[in-house]
Amino acid sequence: MRDEIASKAGTALLDWYDVHARDLPWRVSPLARRDGAVTDPYRVWLSEVMLQQTTVAAVREKYLRFLVLWPTVEALAAAEDSDVMAEWAGLGYYARARNLLKCARAVANDHGGQFPDQADALRDLPGIGPYTAAAIAAIAFDRPETVVDGNVERVVARFFDVDTPLPAAKPELTRLAGRLTPARRPGDHAQAMMDLGATICTPTSPACGICPLIAGCAGRATGRAAELPRKTPKKPKPIRQGIAYVVRRSDGALLLETRPDRGLLGGMLGWPGTEWNDAPSPAPPLEADWRPLGGEVRHTFTHFHLRLAVLLAEVPADALPDRGSFVDRHEFRPSSLPTVMRKVWDLASGQTGRI
DNA sequence: CAAGCGTGGTC
DNA sequence: TGACCAAGCTT
């Protein structure tokens, strides 16, 4: 009887989690909770948004830094957009940072500073989709929601030996994940599923020998676990070209621009440049004696490879650019740039020694 | 609803 | 070195 198997698996997973729960900065362990520690919905939300399509290793320091700068949702709601975008630099998917601010301001202004405690209400907030709404509801508010992320999809596809490829299999996997969800401790169960996927039921070489779910795992029984879940093949990435313009004023100031609020790298700081396509037209931000830098910047985005040529110019103190604005040498922090723009800076500053 | 949207780690 | 992958959301 499948439901009995699923029920036993859910229990075994919670037992495993009580012993093996990873120590993560945003997590309140079952042990800590027993000692009276409480779960802050703001921290759960912040971590879950950062963790969307992003590894724990990349998030850890960024999360702690955000908490120091903005310890509460009200503090974050009151932050300057540019400060938040600069702190998010390097994490990627910058729409998350824009939505993070929108969401914080909605919670502060429309919800009295308290996050809604149910998944459907959470779902109405910017940047909170099905996964994040369920995760916050389960982890922060102990709601019996089933949380389905990439880890859970993999664990469930293997446990029930689902052969349908993703993303078509998503509804079926969500339904099956519900079968594994126990009535008690939904938040711990959700985190246990994700920990299991991250540490044991890993994408290429699952450690079935130490898995708490081995007894009921159909994928293990058929020997196909490591090949699941199947996925429809991805399209190849085209190669696009572009030019980035680095302008240094005689006083050391650098010409930067804030990119439009939508689209690629929206809202982030960057060097003026051409469009990125097959044959970009030159688009220098001012008239100058442009010097090409040797080499190029290579960067891969989600859906294309980019090769950037970099042109450098030194301009007088009274130079007036067509776009962008000069940033004082001492206020410029490369770490506030998205990675592709930081690579441009690395190339420019490296070649000129001390630009 | 398929496509757009980043990055760093891993194999 | 390059393809794949990670605690997805939006339009």
Side-chain angles (χ1 to χ4, degrees), chain A residues 262-322:
Chain A
R262 301 192 156 196
L264 191 64
L265 308 181
M268 297 300 290
L269 214 50
W271 309 103
T274 65
E275 302 201 311
W276 298 341
N277 52 38
D278 281 344
S281 307
L286 47 68
E287 285 187 38
D289 179 21
W290 293 102
R291 185 158 64 87
L293 294 184
E296 65 180 359
V297 166
R298 291 191 179 200
H299 191 77
T300 299
F301 292 99
T302 309
H303 54 294
F304 66 94
H305 301 288
L306 177 65
R307 296 184 182 182
L308 274 184
V310 180
L311 298 184
L312 183 64
E314 315 271 341
V315 302
D318 59 356
L320 285 177
D322 296 333

Side-chain angles (χ1 to χ4, degrees), chain A residues 11-345:
Chain A
T11 302
L13 185 61
L14 277 176
D15 288 346
W16 172 81
Y17 184 71
D18 283 337
V19 179
H20 297 284
R22 285 188 292 174
D23 185 20
L24 301 172
W26 46 84
R27 174 172 291 175
V28 179
S29 70
L31 202 60
R33 203 179 319 117
R34 202 191 60 191
D35 291 343
V38 293
T39 302
D40 179 358
Y42 169 68
R43 298 185 183 204
V44 174
W45 164 72
L46 179 62
S47 66
E48 290 300 344
V49 173
M50 285 186 170
L51 286 162
Q52 290 167 5
Q53 297 289 283
T54 308
T55 58
V56 166
V59 166
R60 191 185 298 266
E61 291 307 312
K62 198 68 78 174
Y63 167 83
L64 292 170
R65 170 94 175 142
F66 265 67
L67 264 196
V68 168
L69 291 171
W70 304 293
T72 66
V73 70
E74 290 91 347
L76 184 58
E80 294 287 338
D81 290 29
S82 57
D83 288 337
V84 173
M85 299 311 288
E87 289 297 331
W88 197 274
L91 260 195
Y93 284 141
Y94 298 100
R96 290 185 295 170
R98 304 195 298 272
N99 286 329
L100 193 79
L101 267 169
K102 287 182 192 167
C103 183
R105 287 164 184 165
V107 170
N109 299 328
D110 307 337
H111 296 271
Q114 304 294 315
F115 279 85
D117 63 359
Q118 302 203 72
D120 59 350
L122 287 160
R123 179 69 184 75
D124 291 334
L125 291 164
I128 298 185
Y131 162 77
T132 306
I136 297 171
I139 297 169
F141 298 111
D142 209 33
R143 300 287 184 190
E145 299 288 340
T146 299
V147 176
V148 184
D149 74 329
N151 288 305
V152 176
E153 287 174 352
R154 185 170 58 255
V155 170
V156 170
R158 289 171 177 173
F159 189 82
F160 294 104
D161 195 28
V162 175
D163 198 49
T164 314
L166 284 167
K170 175 89 176 175
E172 184 184 2
L173 294 176
T174 299
R175 180 178 61 79
L176 293 170
R179 281 212 224 165
L180 284 175
T181 306
R184 309 290 173 98
R185 301 175 62 188
D188 285 342
H189 173 78
Q191 296 178 88
M193 288 286 280
M194 295 188 281
D195 272 21
L196 188 75
T199 63
I200 291 180
C201 197
T202 55
T204 56
S205 51
C208 300
I210 57 171
C211 180
L213 303 190
I214 189 170
C217 184
R220 170 65 172 174
T222 61
R224 298 195 300 185
E227 295 144 37
L228 298 174
R230 290 178 52 203
K231 296 189 178 181
T232 54
K234 296 172 180 174
K235 290 183 178 176
K237 298 179 201 279
I239 299 175
R240 297 185 189 172
Q241 314 281 337
I243 303 170
Y245 299 96
V246 175
V247 181
R248 181 188 181 279
R249 206 167 58 184
S250 54
D251 64 355
L254 297 161
L255 185 64
L256 291 161
E257 65 182 7
T258 301
R259 299 171 63 86
D261 223 31
R262 301 192 156 196
L264 191 64
L265 308 181
M268 297 300 290
L269 214 50
W271 309 103
T274 65
E275 302 201 311
W276 298 341
N277 52 38
D278 281 344
S281 307
L286 47 68
E287 285 187 38
D289 179 21
W290 293 102
R291 185 158 64 87
L293 294 184
E296 65 180 359
V297 166
R298 291 191 179 200
H299 191 77
T300 299
F301 292 99
T302 309
H303 54 294
F304 66 94
H305 301 288
L306 177 65
R307 296 184 182 182
L308 274 184
V310 180
L311 298 184
L312 183 64
E314 315 271 341
V315 302
D318 59 356
L320 285 177
D322 296 333
R323 52 204 174 92
S325 52
F326 283 101
V327 173
D328 187 276
R329 184 79 176 85
H330 303 290
E331 291 175 15
F332 172 66
R333 288 186 305 133
S335 64
S336 70
L337 298 175
T339 299
V340 64
M341 299 297 176
R342 189 181 48 71
K343 286 182 180 177
V344 169
W345 172 248

